[in-house]
Amino acid sequence: MTHFKQYSSYLLLSAAFAGAAFAQQVESVTVTAQRHAEDIQDVPMSVATLDTTHVEAIFQSGQDIKAIANHIPNVYAESSNGRVAPRFYIRGLGNTDFDLAASQPVSIIMDDIVMENVILKSSPIYDVGDVEVSRGPQGTLFGRNTTAGIIKLTSAKPTQEFQSRFAASYGQYNTASIEMGAGGGLTDTLSARISGLWQHRDNYIDNAHLGIKDAMGGYDEKAARLQLLWKPVDKLSVLLNGHFRSLDGTAAIFRANITTKGSNKLNANYQHDKVWFDEGANNPQKYNSIGTSAEISYDFGPVVLTSITGYEYTHGYSRGDIDGGYGAVYNPPYGPGFIPFNSQSQDGLDYLHQYTQEIHLASATGGAWFWQVGGFWFDTDYQDTTYPYYVGPTSVRQTNISYALFGQTSYQITDKLKVTGGLRWTADTKGMTAHGALMAPITDPVRKSGSNLSWDLSADYALTDNVKAYARVATGFRAPSIQGRNLAFGNGYSSARSETIESYEAGLKTELFNKSLRLNFDGFTYYIRHMQFSAIGGGSNSVLLVNARAGQAYGLEADAEWAATDNLTFTGGASWTHTEIKDPTLGIAPCGAQAGMSAASLNCTVLNPYNPVTGIASINGNPFPQAPDYQLSLTARYGYPLSNGGELFAYTDWWLQGYTNFFLYKSKEFHTNGNYEGGLKLGYVFPDKRFQVAAYARNITNTPNLQGAIDFNNLTGFVSDPRVVGIEISAHVE
């Protein structure tokens, strides 16, 4: 019987691959990971993309930018700030700091403009043309130097031909979304494209303590973009971009004691549509942003000169009941569960200005030798305010100026072998002043500066026409950081010195079975010196910057697309990553610990060596916080053609996430293992191929995934959105 099963499996697998030889080919994917258009198979580094079908599916229920994570191997995102201030991680490397002044090692590039502040990183995705992820240190070519990698988002551009797209969906909780983009030629030399987004969800979470029905959980998100493309002659291109965003909704929903000490499983205190808040004004959140950019390019023939100028402005605030419950042990009644003390806070940007300028000169593509050089200037000035409510607010003004020179060259040595190398010099200076209720004003700016010369070197070799091997060595740099949030709680500011990274990766890029299967996979390892970490919580809702002596990681990644038949396609991805903090002297205060507290009296079960005299736990050997040890993703689409030229289709997408530790220390409570989510879309494509109608379900299993926690007060957590089922209509003209 066993032999029969093995033989049957072999026959099925053989039949599948035999069928693949006659299936349609997967479409080529063009990326700009090296600042010029290339087939993804020709790029000697780990690059992944999301296709339009996948992007449309995951955002149809009004999701924010974090939704792209988990759908790309080794990309993860979470936030304790609701729809703003997302925290991204690539290959386990990110920053758990929830403050608005946080420095992030993952860079978000939106239409060639770096979105540095965490609020700017939350800009909504709409009318997007491409989503690319470049894993590993970047900086030779793009924006800020980053140690983790880049998520690059590119909007659909104006064209002389009329093009449009439209999608409208409606689902549970009155979740509605309208996305559109349309444009074409205005004159023979001028074209335009206007894009817009409107998303809405009703409040659906009751505040049971105050007896308010539908008190929170909703949002109204509006965004628009106008692009003008002027080409007076073939060699000159001027692209102007103006955009705005307005958000009025609910901040993160913190829920008290939704896990039980000794376990990370949700208990009866968790109800997806009910909380018990006595503070926080039902967690409001409001932000408004505007921005503009100009990209001017002139083709001199042998070289192309490009200038990219950008400006971004934003302001707003979020408020929350941080303890997630009502009352306190000294102010009964209290609940749900044990509440040591009340905690609410409001954080916001009074203003933020960001200016960027890049000059880029590149040789013409197509020859054996290609080179590009450039310079980058970054300048930001912002004031963020923390208001703990038991005292007055504290405002911290921060500035950051950075300069960089960069260059890269590649040479096709033979028909099979190409080598590429790059250099980047960066100088970065941050400054901070502050004033508040619990501190003497800081009028003489605190300044931290750093500079670095980073580099990368790669080679790719064509083993066959459809199989390429590559290897890459790269270094990166993250400038010193300053964190002033603790000033609002009567403590001083903290800072961290520069961190540097050395990364090694090698992989294969393949197109198999008559190009019906694209399978790319790689292995990597990196080592970070003076790794910057954020110790979150402690004895208050605070942030302390620390440097670990080092951090190390290694892992495997794979991306695949398979056109199994003319009507059935799959995409899939997998990653496995091991991360480890290396510093035998570094310790932090776990789950609200203070000097003199025994391990038994803490509100969580610490799994690291803990010293009750100092209230400090050693974190040497721990994984990086919020770094999943594995991630799996899968999509499948089946289309059934009809005799009238139309099509019935089914599309599904799923992801699975492995062990993920929330904080620098390990505990039985503050981690997840096995989070997953799935989506389904069933629809009809009209015979003209321009219109379709569909029913959809996001989080189809209605699985409540614990995504993070607040550790300084009680066992407070925040959880993913519930299932949303709805309908969608869409149209496009291209």
Side-chain angles (χ1 to χ4, degrees):
M1 187 67 175
T2 301
H3 292 295
F4 175 76
K5 289 181 179 179
Q6 293 175 340
Y7 183 67
S8 300
S9 299
Y10 172 78
L11 288 177
L12 288 171
L13 188 62
S14 300
F17 284 126
F22 301 98
Q24 65 180 1
Q25 296 180 348
V26 294
E27 295 183 3
S28 62
V29 176
T30 300
V31 297
T32 56
Q34 298 190 109
R35 289 304 300 266
H36 59 281
E38 298 175 280
D39 190 295
I40 193 172
Q41 302 302 97
D42 296 331
V43 180
M45 60 194 306
S46 179
V47 181
T49 63
L50 284 180
D51 61 40
T52 302
T53 300
H54 203 163
V55 173
E56 291 175 349
I58 61 181
F59 286 105
Q60 64 194 160
S61 64
Q63 297 287 75
D64 59 69
I65 191 173
K66 296 190 301 295
I68 65 176
N70 274 326
H71 295 271
I72 299 176
N74 247 339
V75 178
Y76 179 62
E78 49 85 26
S79 176
S80 55
N81 289 288
R83 295 174 71 85
V84 300
R87 300 185 285 265
F88 283 94
Y89 306 78
I90 296 178
R91 290 179 171 173
L93 188 53
N95 186 359
T96 57
D97 189 347
F98 59 86
D99 191 74
L100 303 181
S103 163
Q104 300 288 350
V106 176
S107 194
I108 304 293
I109 307 290
M110 182 87 65
D111 289 331
D112 290 323
I113 302 297
V114 60
M115 298 295 176
E116 179 66 11
N117 185 269
V118 288
I119 300 299
L120 298 180
K121 291 179 190 291
S122 70
S123 300
I125 295 178
Y126 59 101
D127 197 25
V128 68
D130 299 293
V131 177
E132 300 178 20
V133 174
S134 298
R135 306 182 185 101
Q138 310 295 324
T140 304
L141 296 172
F142 285 104
R144 301 296 301 273
N145 204 322
T146 174
T147 50
I150 286 174
I151 299 174
K152 187 171 182 287
L153 309 164
T154 304
S155 304
K157 300 304 179 191
T159 58
Q160 276 293 312
E161 301 76 24
F162 176 77
Q163 295 183 349
S164 68
R165 64 172 66 168
F166 172 85
S169 63
Y170 177 80
Q172 289 173 280
Y173 313 112
N174 285 330
T175 300
S177 177
I178 298 176
E179 177 187 350
M180 60 80 62
L186 302 179
T187 70
D188 290 342
T189 61
L190 181 65
S191 56
R193 187 174 183 93
I194 186 169
S195 310
L197 176 72
W198 174 75
Q199 295 175 320
H200 169 84
R201 177 172 292 173
D202 282 355
N203 289 330
Y204 67 94
I205 300 173
D206 300 340
N207 188 337
H209 178 69
L210 298 180
I212 303 175
K213 296 283 291 183
D214 299 328
M216 63 197 82
Y219 53 82
D220 280 288
E221 178 96 72
K222 297 182 285 289
R225 180 189 309 115
L226 174 63
Q227 298 177 89
L228 297 173
L229 178 60
W230 183 47
K231 290 187 173 182
V233 294
D234 289 342
K235 295 187 175 185
L236 176 63
S237 172
V238 179
L239 177 63
L240 303 179
N241 180 319
H243 48 272
F244 87 92
R245 181 252 188 118
S246 177
L247 171 65
D248 185 353
T250 303
I253 306 297
F254 306 111
R255 303 169 185 268
N257 296 302
I258 56 173
T259 58
T260 304
K261 189 171 182 179
S263 170
N264 71 329
K265 304 301 181 183
L266 296 175
N267 59 32
N269 288 332
Y270 169 73
Q271 298 183 41
H272 83 275
D273 59 354
K274 193 170 295 186
V275 295
W276 289 262
F277 289 176
D278 60 349
E279 296 178 318
N282 292 323
N283 291 29
Q285 181 176 80
K286 293 185 179 182
Y287 272 93
N288 291 284
S289 306
I290 59 171
T292 184
S293 66
E295 183 171 336
I296 304 172
S297 180
Y298 192 86
D299 187 349
F300 289 94
V303 296
V304 178
L305 179 64
T306 303
S307 168
I308 304 173
T309 306
Y311 168 74
E312 299 292 332
Y313 169 80
T314 189
H315 70 97
Y317 74 95
S318 299
R319 183 176 175 181
D321 187 320
I322 308 302
D323 62 83
Y326 64 91
V329 65
Y330 57 82
N331 183 30
Y334 55 85
F338 181 68
I339 310 291
F341 55 90
N342 296 106
S343 177
Q344 67 167 320
S345 66
Q346 178 174 301
D347 293 273
L349 286 175
D350 303 323
Y351 63 84
L352 177 142
H353 303 276
Q354 176 189 285
Y355 305 88
T356 56
Q357 176 63 55
E358 181 177 315
I359 300 292
H360 181 257
L361 185 67
S363 66
T365 58
W369 182 38
F370 176 79
W371 58 265
Q372 48 190 329
V373 295
F376 177 75
W377 169 71
F378 173 89
D379 187 347
T380 189
D381 179 0
Y382 59 95
Q383 180 169 291
D384 58 288
T385 297
T386 298
Y387 190 3
Y389 281 92
Y390 62 87
V391 294
T394 294
S395 294
V396 177
R397 182 184 177 187
Q398 302 212 40
T399 58
N400 184 196
I401 297 177
S402 181
Y403 304 90
L405 298 173
F406 57 84
Q408 187 195 61
T409 185
S410 62
Y411 188 73
Q412 192 77 42
I413 298 176
T414 69
D415 291 343
K416 296 179 179 293
L417 177 63
K418 181 177 71 175
V419 294
T420 303
L423 288 171
R424 179 190 179 101
W425 172 80
T426 303
D428 195 288
T429 299
K430 292 184 175 72
M432 185 194 77
T433 58
H435 59 88
L438 294 180
M439 53 165 289
I442 300 175
T443 55
D444 294 329
V446 176
R447 294 194 182 279
K448 299 292 179 180
S449 298
S451 62
N452 176 263
L453 181 65
S454 55
W455 56 270
D456 64 74
L457 180 65
S458 61
D460 60 278
Y461 186 82
L463 300 173
T464 70
D465 290 343
N466 298 315
V467 178
K468 283 191 174 183
Y470 77 91
R472 179 175 187 253
V473 183
T475 67
F477 159 77
R478 182 151 66 117
S481 297
I482 307 173
Q483 181 51 266
R485 180 182 177 81
N486 286 11
L487 296 169
F489 300 91
N491 301 312
Y493 68 89
S494 60
S495 63
R497 63 180 295 185
S498 301
E499 69 179 16
T500 57
I501 183 172
E502 297 173 3
S503 172
Y504 304 84
E505 70 175 65
L508 290 176
K509 299 196 173 189
T510 72
E511 291 179 331
L512 307 174
F513 307 111
N514 194 31
K515 294 190 176 183
S516 66
L517 173 66
R518 180 185 298 116
L519 175 60
N520 298 338
F521 53 92
D522 66 83
F524 67 90
T525 183
Y526 61 81
Y527 188 85
I528 306 178
R529 290 177 171 84
H530 312 300
M531 189 171 184
Q532 295 183 20
F533 281 119
S534 298
I536 307 297
S540 65
N541 189 22
S542 61
V543 177
L544 177 67
L545 292 178
V546 297
N547 282 109
R549 182 177 300 175
Q552 188 173 28
Y554 50 86
L556 302 170
E557 298 160 340
D559 301 277
E561 181 178 358
W562 181 30
T565 71
D566 289 343
N567 302 316
L568 178 62
T569 58
F570 297 93
T571 69
S575 62
W576 170 79
T577 303
H578 174 84
T579 62
E580 186 174 343
I581 300 169
K582 289 186 170 294
D583 192 334
T585 66
L586 184 59
I588 56 105
C591 47
Q594 297 183 21
M597 294 181 65
S598 67
S601 65
L602 301 180
N603 61 31
C604 75
T605 311
V606 180
L607 299 178
N608 294 123
Y610 172 73
N611 186 334
V613 176
T614 61
I616 298 297
S618 171
I619 61 172
N620 184 50
N622 283 359
F624 301 166
Q626 297 289 4
D629 62 356
Y630 72 83
Q631 292 172 277
L632 301 173
S633 63
L634 174 69
T635 77
R637 186 188 187 278
Y638 179 76
Y640 182 78
L642 302 176
S643 59
N644 66 353
E647 181 191 47
L648 297 174
F649 72 88
Y651 177 87
T652 187
D653 60 270
W654 293 83
W655 58 258
L656 173 66
Q657 173 189 332
Y659 177 85
T660 307
N661 197 46
F662 291 163
F663 300 112
L664 289 170
Y665 62 90
K666 295 179 69 174
S667 70
K668 290 185 178 180
E669 297 82 6
F670 297 134
H671 71 275
T672 61
N673 194 0
N675 280 1
Y676 69 93
E677 190 170 294
L680 179 64
K681 188 175 182 179
L682 304 173
Y684 171 67
V685 179
F686 285 76
D688 62 7
K689 308 303 182 186
R690 293 182 174 182
F691 297 90
Q692 78 174 32
V693 295
Y696 74 84
R698 301 305 306 171
N699 190 8
I700 190 170
T701 60
N702 202 28
T703 302
N705 286 315
L706 184 64
Q707 295 183 319
I710 304 295
D711 77 332
F712 68 92
N713 194 339
N714 56 62
L715 294 171
T716 296
F718 43 96
V719 183
S720 61
D721 288 345
R723 175 173 52 213
V724 175
V725 177
I727 57 174
E728 180 190 58
I729 59 172
S730 61
H732 68 90
V733 177
E734 295 183 358

